[in-house]
């Protein structure tokens, strides 16, 4: 047992710091510290902490940035990490300081190297004696440089070690403990990246344009650089505007379908029917957007959006009704309904006529031509792009408004200040709306060719807020969660399980149906129409998104952005490497789902620890000399049961009051 009076980090925290600092030290010794440049074909000029430069490109006369400060700071980080390792080995109180300093030294090395590379880019751009193709090649070379595995892992390892050391303080332990729900997805992502790295090492040969033999050490450095290059390319879209908007475009339908699956998960159901619900939502949106009277004007857009949600809700309510009435499995029913929805889809836009009982009937839904698609939606039924919504420029200039950013900041500040005030959330929303209105004309010029990210992204965020509010702020949400946790206990408490099942599947179907707005009304497929190539498989991707997001609205958004980012980055990796293509993204997704299903191979003591009243900082169990009263086991068990019942009654009462309000 650990004495609570001992203010040193716990043994578990010390082991975490040892592993983190040890991995960082190994990375500094065995992997490249940084790349001073990289050709379009991924051939780098590598810098090692204790060795010289390794140029794997065909050009040897390129001017390279000064690597002295980067190497000096890398050595500083190495010494600090070494001190951190031995401090954690002895469970010293100060090793969090050296871990943090190692992180700062690595960060300074990254910033200095980035500045040096930026100076070279500026020099090339200002050199008018160079031909344009040469300037483009040199600029691409310097922009491809930056930190490598050595600096990245030293930065990350020092940060983890610092956090482990700070966990000895109760205030930091409480903060870290609130993030315990991130352990499983974080471990799953780390394991998936590790296995994916092995796949990259086995599939992709090292990049070497020199034609000379590399030797064992050179081959190892080139292969480890290759791993870092693949993953930095996959996550590169977050560093520039155009690729980031593409990532948001791919993430938008994943948010809808992820919410659909997550909502069903929360209520104890498994919705595999998101593809069919999306299909029916797309059909309903097309019928309203194309065939509703154009005289409705601006009403066409909200009506078509409502139709998309209603189509998906109807297709979700059917398996909910079958389960509630006959007890049939929603898994089988939703799978079968996917095929029925696909059949209806092909029937409507696959041909202009169909035979039935010896007669041929005409269908008006397919547009003229050989391609299976509908007619275009009315102009009023189309969702605007995000650039059109946020552009406050004049005379054709593109100036992105910053009003939404100011509004978000105002909401966060107001929510923090009014957290103890009744109706504080509504007051914060009002303050955000006012600030956004007053600052909407403030913008920043951007250079962007165009983006297909449309207003369905805002609809997705509205659905995220609806999910969270309904599930955790209303009596209906309390009833749905109770049905998901224990149907028999919920029914004993007076909750209708049948009604909850139907309602849950209906709402889940509505979320999936609204994903169709991204493709039909948003023009994500280059046309504002229903097309045969609508990617309904994003409905199945929603399962992975919901699992990784732990069936929470914020988690669904984060996992959708992650998947959208690596999908976008996979295209660039496919272009720049021979043996690596976009399938590496599919492998990573599958591995993430696999490891999440396995709980990240984490112990239950980490993912589901004992109550904090029974532990000290860092999860240490109190001993007999602790100030906690010694309660017999039987009394402790009964006390826990009583507290649980009282908490459940309080939750039900508060939920009922919120619902009545």
């Amino acid at each position: 047992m650990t004495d609570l009076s001992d203010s040193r980090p716990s043994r578990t925290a010390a082991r975490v710091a040892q592993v983190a600092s040890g991995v960082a030290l190994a990375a500094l010794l065995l992997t490249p510290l940084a790349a001073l440049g990289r050709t379009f074909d991924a051939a780098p000029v590598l810098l090692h902490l204790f060795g010289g430069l390794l140029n794997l490109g065909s050009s040897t006369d390129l001017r390279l940035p000064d690597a002295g400060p980067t190497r000096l700071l890398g050595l500083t980080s190495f010494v600090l990490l070494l001190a951190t390792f031995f401090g954690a080995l002895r469970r010293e109180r100060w090793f969090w300081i050296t871990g943090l300093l190692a992180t700062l030294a690595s960060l300074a090395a990254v910033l200095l190297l980035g500045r040096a590379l930026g100076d070279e880019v500026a020099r090339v751009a200002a050199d008018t004696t160079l031909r344009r193709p040469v300037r483009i090649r040199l600029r691409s070379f310097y922009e491809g440089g930056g930190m490598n595995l050595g600096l990245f892992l030293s930065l990350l390892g020092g940060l983890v070690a610092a956090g482990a050391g700070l966990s000895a303080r109760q205030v930091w332990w409480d903060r870290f403990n609130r993030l315990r729900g991130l352990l499983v997805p974080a471990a799953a992502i780390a394991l998936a990246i590790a296995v994916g790295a092995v796949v990259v090492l086995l599939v992709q040969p090292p990049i070497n344009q020199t034609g000379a033999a590399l030797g064992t050490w050179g081959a190892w450095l080139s292969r480890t650089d290759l791993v870092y290059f693949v993953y930095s390319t996959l996550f590169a879209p977050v560093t520039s505007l155009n690729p980031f908007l593409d990532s948001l475009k791919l993430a938008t339908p994943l948010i809808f379908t992820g919410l659909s699956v997550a909502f069903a998960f929360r209520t104890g159901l498994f919705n595999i029917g998101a593809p069919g619900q999306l299909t029916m939502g797309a059909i309903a949106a097309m019928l309203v957007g194309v065939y509703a009277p154009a005289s409705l004007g601006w009403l066409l857009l909200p009506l078509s959006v409502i139709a998309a949600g209603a189509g998906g809700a109807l297709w979700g309510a059917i398996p909910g009704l079958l389960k509630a009435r006959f007890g049939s499995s929603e898994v089988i029913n939703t799978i079968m309904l996917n095929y029925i929805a696909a059949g209806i889809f092909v029937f409507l836009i696959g041909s202009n006529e169909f035979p039935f009982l010896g007669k041929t009937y005409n269908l008006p839904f397919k547009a003229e031509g050989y391609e299976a698609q509908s007619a275009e939606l009315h102009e009023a039924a189309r969702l605007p792009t995000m650039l059109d919504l946020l552009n406050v420029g004049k005379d054709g200039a593109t100036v992105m408004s910053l009003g939404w950013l100011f509004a978000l900041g105002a909401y966060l500040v107001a929510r923090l200040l009014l957290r103890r005030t009744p109706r504080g959330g509504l007051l914060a929303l009002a303050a955000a709306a006012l600030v956004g209105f007053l600052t909407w004309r403030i913008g920043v010029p951007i250079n962007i060719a165009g983006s297909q990210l449309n207003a369905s992204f805002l609809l997705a965020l509205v659905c995220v807020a609806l999910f969270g509010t309904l599930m955790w702020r209303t009596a209906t949400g309390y009833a749905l969660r109770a049905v998901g946790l224990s149907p028999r206990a919920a029914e004993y408490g007076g909750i209708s399980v049948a009604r909850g099942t139907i309602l849950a599947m209906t709402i889940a179907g509505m979320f999936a149906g609204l994903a169709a707005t991204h493709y039909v009304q948003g023009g994500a497929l280059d046309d504002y129409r229903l097309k045969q190539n609508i990617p309904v498989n994003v409905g199945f991707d929603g399962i992975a998104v919901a699992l990784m997001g732990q069936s929470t609205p914020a988690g669904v958004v984060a996992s959708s952005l992650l998947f959208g980012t690596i999908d976008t980055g996979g295209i660039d990796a496919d272009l720049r490497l021979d043996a690596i293509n976009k399938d590496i993204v599919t492998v990573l997704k599958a591995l993430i789902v696999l490891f999440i299903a396995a709980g990240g191979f984490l112990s239950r003591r980490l993912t589901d620890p004992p109550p904090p009243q029974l532990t000290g900082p860092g999860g240490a169990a109190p001993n007999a000399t602790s100030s906690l009263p010694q309660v017999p086991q039987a009394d402790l068990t009964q006390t826990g049961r009583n507290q649980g019942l009282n908490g459940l009654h309080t939750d039900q009462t508060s939920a009922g009051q919120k619902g009545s309000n």
Side-chain angles (χ1 to χ4, degrees):
M1 297 288 183
T2 301
D3 190 352
L4 290 182
S5 62
D6 188 1
S7 61
R8 295 188 302 167
S10 67
R11 289 184 174 86
T12 301
R15 282 195 294 268
V16 170
Q18 290 174 41
V19 172
S21 57
V23 170
L25 288 169
L28 287 171
L29 289 173
L30 301 176
T31 65
L33 188 69
L36 302 185
R38 191 183 300 273
T39 66
F40 181 80
D41 296 326
V45 177
L46 299 178
L47 171 68
H48 188 260
L49 182 61
F50 296 109
L53 297 178
L54 178 62
N55 189 351
L56 299 177
S58 57
S59 300
T60 59
D61 57 347
L62 291 173
R63 172 175 167 176
L64 298 176
D66 183 15
T70 301
R71 180 173 286 166
L72 178 61
L73 288 169
L75 286 170
T76 304
S77 181
F78 182 85
V79 173
L80 290 169
L81 285 169
L82 199 61
T84 303
F85 180 83
F86 286 106
L89 194 64
R90 297 170 56 88
R91 290 178 59 204
E92 299 289 350
R93 299 181 180 89
W94 48 260
F95 73 75
W96 70 270
I97 300 176
T98 55
L100 183 60
L101 290 175
T103 297
L104 295 176
S106 301
L107 180 61
V110 173
L111 295 177
L112 284 178
L113 179 60
R115 181 177 179 180
L117 291 170
D119 292 341
E120 295 297 328
V121 171
R123 178 185 63 81
V124 170
D127 191 350
T128 57
T129 62
L130 298 175
R131 292 180 299 173
R132 187 171 182 273
V134 176
R135 286 203 305 270
I136 294 176
R137 180 175 61 86
L138 290 176
R139 180 172 179 175
S140 175
F141 174 79
Y142 292 120
E143 289 178 344
M147 68 175 173
N148 212 288
L149 274 178
L151 283 177
F152 175 75
L153 290 180
S154 63
L155 193 153
L156 183 61
L159 190 62
V160 172
L166 286 172
S167 67
R169 292 162 171 78
Q170 184 65 46
V171 60
W172 283 99
W173 170 250
D174 292 338
R175 291 173 181 173
F176 293 148
N177 202 40
R178 297 190 192 102
L179 304 177
R180 192 180 294 272
L182 299 178
L183 286 176
V184 172
I189 293 173
L191 289 171
I193 289 176
V195 176
V198 175
V199 173
V200 172
L201 291 175
L202 294 176
V203 172
Q204 176 66 41
I207 305 297
N208 180 18
Q209 295 179 350
T210 63
L214 293 178
T216 304
W217 179 244
W220 168 253
L221 289 180
S222 65
R223 285 187 173 276
T224 53
D225 166 74
L226 188 63
V227 171
Y228 182 78
F229 171 73
V230 169
Y231 283 112
S232 62
T233 303
L234 289 179
F235 291 98
V238 299
T239 61
S240 55
L241 183 59
N242 270 347
F244 181 66
L245 293 179
D246 291 337
S247 300
L248 291 181
K249 185 191 75 171
L250 295 178
T252 297
L254 293 177
I255 296 176
F256 285 113
T257 57
L259 291 175
S260 175
V261 178
F263 196 90
F265 278 163
R266 282 288 175 181
T267 58
L269 301 169
F270 195 0
N271 179 28
I272 313 185
Q277 294 151 14
L278 188 155
T279 301
M280 297 306 295
I283 292 174
M286 180 272 294
L287 293 176
V288 174
V290 175
Y291 299 103
S295 58
L296 291 175
W298 63 270
L299 287 174
L300 274 176
L301 180 56
L303 287 177
S304 61
V305 171
I306 293 172
L314 173 63
W315 221 242
I318 295 174
L321 178 62
L322 292 175
K323 183 177 180 65
R325 180 66 179 84
F326 303 105
S328 57
S329 171
E330 78 278 6
V331 175
I332 297 176
N333 289 332
T334 50
I335 291 176
M336 294 299 102
L337 283 171
N338 287 339
Y339 290 104
I340 296 175
I344 295 174
F345 176 78
V346 174
F347 173 76
L348 289 179
I349 66 171
S351 177
N352 289 322
E353 57 184 27
F354 73 99
F356 184 70
L357 297 178
K359 294 184 179 180
T360 300
Y361 298 88
N362 294 325
L363 287 175
F365 305 109
K366 181 180 179 298
E368 294 295 333
Y370 65 91
E371 189 174 355
Q373 60 184 13
S374 71
E376 284 196 331
L377 274 67
H378 294 301
E379 290 280 350
R382 303 176 183 179
L383 287 170
T385 65
M386 291 298 296
L387 287 180
D388 291 337
L389 284 176
L390 299 178
N391 186 18
V392 294
K394 298 179 180 179
D395 301 327
T398 304
V399 180
M400 180 177 289
S401 172
L402 297 178
W404 62 274
L405 189 59
F406 292 120
L408 178 61
Y411 174 79
L412 295 176
V413 172
R415 195 72 182 92
L416 180 63
L417 296 176
L418 302 174
R419 62 184 182 278
R420 301 184 185 277
T421 305
R423 308 289 183 182
L426 294 177
L427 293 175
L429 283 176
L434 178 61
V435 171
F437 175 77
L438 295 176
T439 60
W440 188 255
R441 304 301 302 179
I442 301 176
V444 56
I446 59 174
N447 183 17
I448 186 170
S451 172
Q452 292 176 325
L453 178 65
N454 54 74
S456 62
F457 176 70
L458 298 180
L459 290 177
L461 297 183
V462 171
C463 289
V464 169
L466 176 62
F467 186 125
T469 302
L470 176 62
M471 189 61 73
W472 284 281
R473 299 291 182 179
T474 65
T476 301
Y478 172 82
L480 291 175
R481 285 186 288 120
V483 171
L485 291 172
S486 178
R488 291 188 178 182
E491 190 171 14
Y492 181 78
I495 297 173
S496 174
V497 176
R499 184 173 61 185
T501 300
I502 298 173
L503 179 61
M505 289 301 296
T506 301
I507 296 176
M510 179 196 71
F511 286 141
L514 286 172
T517 60
H518 177 67
Y519 300 110
V520 180
Q521 291 108 313
L525 299 177
D526 300 324
D527 284 311
Y528 294 93
R529 63 174 84 220
L530 180 63
K531 304 182 70 173
Q532 188 179 19
N533 62 342
I534 183 171
V536 296
N537 282 336
V538 296
F540 293 123
D541 292 339
I543 300 175
V545 168
L547 286 173
M548 183 177 170
Q550 302 290 282
S551 298
T552 62
V556 166
V557 173
S559 54
S560 298
L561 291 178
L562 173 63
F563 284 0
T565 298
I566 62 178
D567 281 335
T568 305
I571 299 174
D572 194 18
D574 190 6
L575 292 175
R576 304 183 69 173
L577 296 174
D578 296 330
I580 297 296
N581 54 34
K582 291 181 291 184
D583 291 339
I584 187 65
V585 176
T586 305
V587 171
L588 286 176
K589 290 180 180 178
L591 289 172
I592 289 173
V593 174
L594 175 64
F595 291 130
I596 284 180
F601 296 108
L602 296 175
S603 170
R604 289 291 299 273
R605 293 181 60 187
L606 291 176
T607 60
D608 190 15
Q613 292 84 357
L614 303 181
T615 59
N623 60 5
T625 61
S626 170
S627 60
L628 291 175
Q630 302 298 311
V631 183
Q633 183 64 33
D635 295 343
L636 183 61
T637 303
Q638 185 61 40
T639 302
R641 290 174 180 171
N642 293 337
Q643 290 177 350
L645 291 175
N646 292 336
L648 182 62
H649 176 71
T650 303
D651 190 8
Q652 187 177 15
T653 304
S654 60
Q657 291 174 350
K658 291 175 181 177
S660 61
N661 290 336

